[in-house]
Amino acid sequence: MSKFNAVITSIGHFLPEQTLTNFDFEKFLETSNEWILERTGISERRIMDKRIINKTLPLNESLGVSYIGTQAAKECLEKRGISAEEIDLIIFCTVTPDMFFPATACLVQNNIGAKNAWGYDLSAGCSGFLYGLIAGCQFIKSGMHKKVLVIGADLMTSILNFEDRNNCILFGDGGGCVLLEPTEENFGLLDFSCRVDGSGGDFLKMPAGGSKNPPSHETVDKKMHYVHQEGKTVFKFAVSRMADVSAEIMEKNNLKGEDVDLFIPHQANIRIIDACVKRMGIDAQKVMINIQKYGNTTAGTLPLGMYDAINEGRLKKGDNLILSVFGTGFTWGSAYLKWGF
Ligand code: COA
């Protein structure tokens, strides 16, 4: 057994200021505020650049997801009162990197001046942040590193087809960053359970742009560089797998509903969250929900959930926290943490 636990000691976030409401969608899509709110729980989402939906707006300098990660990392470091030079490792979890390569972790390393760090990107869609958190914790627990930044952020509007009402209403831009440090006390990541099932790969994907379908006029014409999703199938898998794994992590750790102080689920659809909560037997007041404000920010949902929970006074030292996710792959998982600051 390792002498160290890995604990979150600081958190930062970034959300673009511009919002896109359900009423905005009514102006250019056959949809309604009522439909979106009832079927998903979303009222509005943040959007980095309105040009994505209105090509007549003047061309801005485009900001990639590295901007979200950089701002979140800066806030995280500032809150902890440490210099970027103390960081050993940066893990950037995203499916919307600035470019395929170099890794966005490298761009953030340079932006914040983390001169002594190494880093890499991690792709697990909506499960990305949880997977990155678990990976980062292992470097701390092993004693190899003292300070690890894990960033979960996505700029989903860069890969959405705003003519596809099934999918474009679901997602938004944003993300957050946590700092992991060692502790000899019983705080931090205590247990996790994760799975993948590649047979679900076709149901939620970006079909082109990679080595299988390199970019061409044809792939652009066929709109293959956008999110493609069979929503109903993804929904069914998400409901059962996320509920199962959430119940499993509680059973493994002898946690009853009353022992859980806060549950932060991935924010994909309010109905998926409700199904998990029912299965876990926890009080609805112990569930962090902010999907109404941000939509699904993919790798951004968990750190944004933690950030809001702290600001709202709903997460304090010693609390039992459960995190659960489901995403492309399929990927899914759950983690049990004892909150440490
Ligand atoms: N506005 C109005 N109607 C819409 C619409 C929109 N934005 N999007 C779809 N519809 C229509 C459909 O075309 C369909 O019409 P039809 O019956 O005439 O074909 C009808 O609404 C019902 O569609 P359905 O697919 O049954 O809706 P749903 O209850 O399954 O909800 C999702 C659709 C996408 C909200 C839901 O499947 C979902 O949340 N899936 C999971 C997606 C997800 O979160 N993925 C991220 C990774 S976890």
Side-chain angles (χ1 to χ4, degrees):
M1 274 293 273
S2 162
K3 160 173 164 203
F4 301 114
N5 276 335
V7 66
I8 295 173
T9 55
S10 183
I11 184 160
H13 84 308
F14 180 80
L15 287 158
E17 274 174 26
Q18 299 186 96
T19 57
L20 192 62
T21 67
N22 293 349
F23 296 105
D24 291 328
F25 277 115
E26 286 182 357
K27 293 174 200 153
F28 62 92
L29 268 185
E30 204 181 310
T31 189
S32 66
N33 173 54
E34 291 73 30
W35 192 95
I36 302 173
L37 199 54
E38 191 193 309
R39 305 308 290 160
T40 71
I42 303 167
S43 279
E44 60 183 41
R45 64 292 288 145
R46 300 298 179 93
I47 169 168
M48 188 76 109
D49 185 353
K50 278 210 164 159
R51 260 197 95 250
I52 286 168
I53 49 164
N54 182 355
K55 306 285 184 229
T56 62
L57 288 172
L59 192 64
N60 299 324
E61 190 179 329
S62 207
L63 296 171
V65 79
S66 64
Y67 185 80
I68 299 177
T70 299
Q71 299 307 110
K74 282 182 178 169
E75 184 188 2
C76 181
L77 292 171
E78 198 182 305
K79 284 204 159 137
R80 183 74 176 123
I82 62 166
S83 141
E85 293 181 18
E86 291 185 50
I87 300 301
D88 301 303
L89 166 64
I90 301 167
I91 303 176
F92 201 125
C93 314
T94 189
V95 287
T96 49
D98 280 25
M99 296 164 271
F100 260 171
F101 61 88
T104 308
C106 302
L107 307 179
V108 171
Q109 175 276 334
N110 185 47
N111 290 346
I112 65 174
K115 289 196 184 105
N116 301 305
W118 67 293
Y120 59 90
D121 287 1
L122 190 154
S123 169
C126 300
S127 304
F129 179 80
L130 190 79
Y131 283 23
L133 181 74
I134 292 164
C137 285
Q138 308 315 308
F139 287 100
I140 299 281
K141 279 173 90 77
S142 68
M144 292 297 287
H145 288 324
K146 298 264 181 300
K147 288 183 172 57
V148 173
L149 288 181
V150 181
I151 300 168
D154 270 293
L155 213 162
M156 291 304 290
T157 57
S158 66
I159 55 167
L160 292 179
N161 174 3
F162 280 94
E163 290 168 0
D164 172 10
R165 69 175 184 173
N166 292 291
N167 289 309
C168 70
I169 51 122
L170 298 172
F171 297 95
D173 302 332
C177 173
V178 297
L179 174 66
L180 299 173
E181 294 186 74
T183 176
E184 290 185 35
E185 294 182 277
N186 193 38
F187 292 115
L189 179 70
L190 301 184
D191 197 11
F192 66 88
S193 182
C194 291
R195 309 266 202 297
V196 302
D197 178 357
S199 70
D202 273 341
F203 300 116
L204 176 50
K205 65 181 179 186
M206 188 167 92
S211 53
K212 190 174 161 72
N213 288 303
S216 66
H217 283 292
E218 193 189 355
T219 61
V220 172
D221 290 344
K222 288 185 172 166
K223 302 186 188 309
M224 291 169 75
H225 297 272
Y226 292 126
V227 172
H228 281 244
Q229 173 170 233
E230 288 182 32
K232 255 195 170 105
T233 309
V234 176
F235 184 88
K236 271 190 212 147
F237 268 92
V239 163
S240 69
R241 302 299 189 272
M242 219 168 112
D244 283 351
V245 82
S246 307
E248 179 192 322
I249 201 84
M250 286 175 67
E251 278 159 31
K252 259 176 84 187
N253 291 280
N254 294 317
L255 294 170
K256 301 268 174 291
E258 59 268 26
D259 303 320
V260 175
D261 295 295
L262 191 68
F263 173 48
I264 306 183
H266 171 53
Q267 312 279 310
N269 187 310
I270 193 74
R271 292 179 290 143
I272 300 175
I273 297 173
D274 288 346
C276 283
V277 171
K278 208 165 154 198
R279 178 76 187 280
M280 293 163 80
I282 56 174
D283 195 301
Q285 281 162 344
K286 293 179 173 179
V287 187
M288 185 65 216
I289 295 172
N290 55 16
I291 190 171
Q292 70 283 2
K293 298 189 282 184
Y294 311 140
N296 181 352
T297 53
T298 303
T301 61
L302 290 191
L304 288 172
M306 290 180 199
Y307 192 89
D308 280 0
I310 291 167
N311 276 350
E312 291 167 18
R314 297 178 64 187
L315 190 54
K316 43 189 192 320
K317 193 166 183 175
D319 278 355
N320 284 326
L321 171 67
I322 303 287
L323 305 174
S324 294
V325 290
F326 183 88
T328 179
F330 294 128
T331 54
W332 68 99
S334 195
Y336 167 36
L337 290 87
K338 200 167 267 291
W339 195 253
F341 74 95

